[in-house]
Amino acid sequence: MTQTFTVLGIESSCDDTAAAVVEWSAQRADILSSIVKGQNDLHSEFGGVVPEIAARAHVEKIDHCVLEAMFAADLRLSDIDLVAVTAGPGLIGGVLSGVMCAKGIAATTGKPLIGVNHLAGHALTPRLTDGISFPYLMLLVSGGHCQLLFVSGPTSFTRLGGTIDDAPGEAFDKSARILGLSQPGGPSIEKEAAAGDPRKFSFPRPLLDRPGCDMSFSGLKTAIIRARDRIIDAQGGIPKEARSDLCASFQAAVADVLTEKTRRALASTMKDLGENPVLSVAGGVASNASIRAKLELMCEEMEVKFVAPPLALCTDNAAMIAYAGAEQYHAGIRSDMSLAARPRWPLDTKSETLIGGGKKGAKA
Ligand code: KG4
Ligand code: ZN
């Protein structure tokens, strides 16, 4: 095997169709191109991702994404050394489109194929962006995932905690809908919260009174509904100021839960390792400025290095899949034409399955 190899990555597990080319070596990795085609406009009127619409859109967009990624990297398919594709977990129709596309390319070019776990792509991203060494701690928070992972190798992930019901992005999306704000809810709530008072409503901080790193966000949604209804009963509607306060108070509750559970995971990792691990974040929710600021402050207090990849690599993309594929291929992992699309694929198979797990079902 050559020491440097060029990887085509393909991602289609939720509502982003993506392709990227990454040049990988054991010393460094460069993103030669990264194309992401979102589907927000197709799903916004339904208030969430509609699996059938997503799958159809992936089928329509995927070859265009691959072509654009190859063109932007100024390469031909024959220049690629490896085809890496998200093989799960995710919405099955979308994952299938990606896997079939990758198999087609691998079969026609004769290049090796590797199926990558989408969560491994997120979890390995700080190595792509910042070249950090194993082991480190990863807080993965998006619309479908919420996990605290101890990452000790390209295929070694230990889940220290996660959500037992909704993912935090899902809580943002549902709360936005409850307050009549547009989707995706995270950016809408963050914008609205900027003018609000985070102490106005004392929303619950679920599971903080219990030991461990598991989290729960579904109760927050109920608290928002109750607070909204009380305001409507008293004032006949929700004044703008009250909506901003609701958003700010909700955001503060999510930030407190994520920060405290991450602090616990860091403390137990430090105890086991005898040194301070790096903390990294990924997923759409990690782009929230006030959540990032709280995490950053906590890291400063604990003398822990905080690595936050750029937003475009925190959210779903194919560069992370190409990178994870390269690392795993280098570690000896192989797939073949029997590669199957998997709706569920826990990263850490040794830990017990969590009960809930986000809008796409119990993904991991
Ligand atoms: O990682 P991502 O793009 O896709 C997956 O869910 O896999 O994350 C999207 C989620 C949505 O739930 C969205 O509302 C949330 O991330 N999100 C945010 C922000 N930007 C996106 N949540 C809070 N604050 C934000 N600024
Ligand atoms: Zn994701």
Side-chain angles (χ1 to χ4, degrees), residues 11 13 118-119 122 140 142 145 283 314-316 320 360 363:
E11 155 65 35
S13 65
H118 177 85
L119 303 172
H122 279 304
L140 181 52
S142 70
H145 333 289
C314 268
T315 51
D316 288 352
M320 69 178 190
K360 299 142 214 160
K363 285 179 62 173

Side-chain angles (χ1 to χ4, degrees), residues 14-352:
C14 186
D15 58 349
D16 289 304
T17 319
V21 180
V22 169
E23 195 170 82
W24 183 95
S25 76
Q27 290 73 40
R28 58 174 290 160
D30 292 302
I31 300 173
L32 303 187
S33 65
S34 180
I35 308 292
V36 180
K37 292 182 191 290
Q39 305 177 359
N40 280 347
D41 50 334
L42 298 178
H43 303 285
S44 57
E45 69 176 289
F46 303 101
V49 178
V50 183
E52 289 74 16
I53 295 177
R56 195 174 292 251
H58 285 305
V59 171
E60 284 166 7
K61 292 173 194 228
I62 208 149
D63 352 349
H64 296 284
C65 273
V66 171
L67 275 176
E68 281 183 43
M70 296 308 302
F71 187 75
D74 199 16
L75 292 174
R76 292 159 177 265
L77 283 176
S78 54
D79 299 320
I80 294 293
D81 298 309
L82 173 68
V83 184
V85 62
T86 300
L91 299 173
I92 192 66
V95 181
L96 258 175
S97 343
V99 168
M100 296 316 286
C101 176
K103 281 186 182 176
I105 294 170
T108 49
T109 58
K111 305 294 178 181
L113 171 74
I114 183 161
V116 172
N117 183 311
H118 177 85
L119 303 172
H122 279 304
L124 295 171
T125 296
R127 288 176 53 73
L128 163 65
T129 57
D130 293 74
I132 67 171
S133 322
F134 296 119
Y136 55 90
L137 196 73
M138 160 62 66
L139 171 66
L140 181 52
V141 274
S142 70
H145 333 289
C146 177
Q147 310 208 351
L148 274 160
L149 294 167
F150 179 67
V151 185
S152 50
T155 57
S156 305
F157 308 95
T158 308
R159 198 188 63 224
L160 305 180
T163 183
I164 59 164
D165 41 53
D166 291 352
E170 188 176 10
F172 269 98
D173 295 338
K174 287 178 178 169
S175 300
R177 215 169 302 137
I178 291 163
L179 297 175
L181 297 169
S182 61
Q183 297 292 318
S188 314
I189 290 197
E190 181 171 17
K191 197 165 156 228
E192 199 76 17
D197 176 359
R199 287 169 302 263
K200 192 80 182 183
F201 297 91
S202 69
F203 287 139
R205 269 62 173 163
L207 299 190
L208 283 199
D209 55 343
R210 295 210 210 140
C213 300
D214 284 344
M215 294 167 252
S216 160
F217 295 100
S218 69
L220 269 172
K221 175 186 62 199
T222 317
I224 284 259
I225 294 177
R226 287 214 190 98
R228 177 202 63 183
D229 291 350
R230 269 198 307 271
I231 296 169
I232 293 176
D233 285 348
Q235 306 187 39
I238 317 178
K240 184 155 177 40
E241 200 186 321
R243 195 156 72 171
S244 296
D245 292 340
L246 284 168
C247 288
S249 304
F250 165 83
Q251 188 173 266
V254 175
D256 282 352
V257 171
L258 290 175
T259 307
E260 171 56 19
K261 294 290 179 169
T262 307
R263 193 192 60 72
R264 290 183 197 177
L266 276 170
S268 83
T269 306
M270 282 173 182
K271 217 165 113 197
D272 293 348
L273 278 182
E275 59 184 69
N276 294 4
V278 169
L279 171 71
S280 188
V281 287
V285 180
S287 68
N288 184 289
S290 97
I291 292 175
R292 270 195 197 216
K294 269 193 187 157
L295 288 168
E296 229 169 334
L297 184 66
M298 182 260 301
C299 283
E300 240 174 79
E301 284 164 8
M302 295 184 83
E303 295 179 8
V304 160
K305 187 175 171 201
F306 181 65
V307 170
L311 183 55
L313 294 170
C314 268
T315 51
D316 288 352
N317 67 87
M320 69 178 190
I321 301 303
Y323 180 82
E327 285 225 306
Q328 296 186 344
Y329 190 79
H330 186 69
I333 311 288
R334 300 286 182 272
S335 302
D336 58 27
M337 285 299 156
S338 66
L339 177 67
R342 299 173 63 172
R344 291 183 188 194
W345 185 357
L347 253 192
D348 174 0
T349 45
K350 289 182 286 305
S351 295
E352 267 178 52

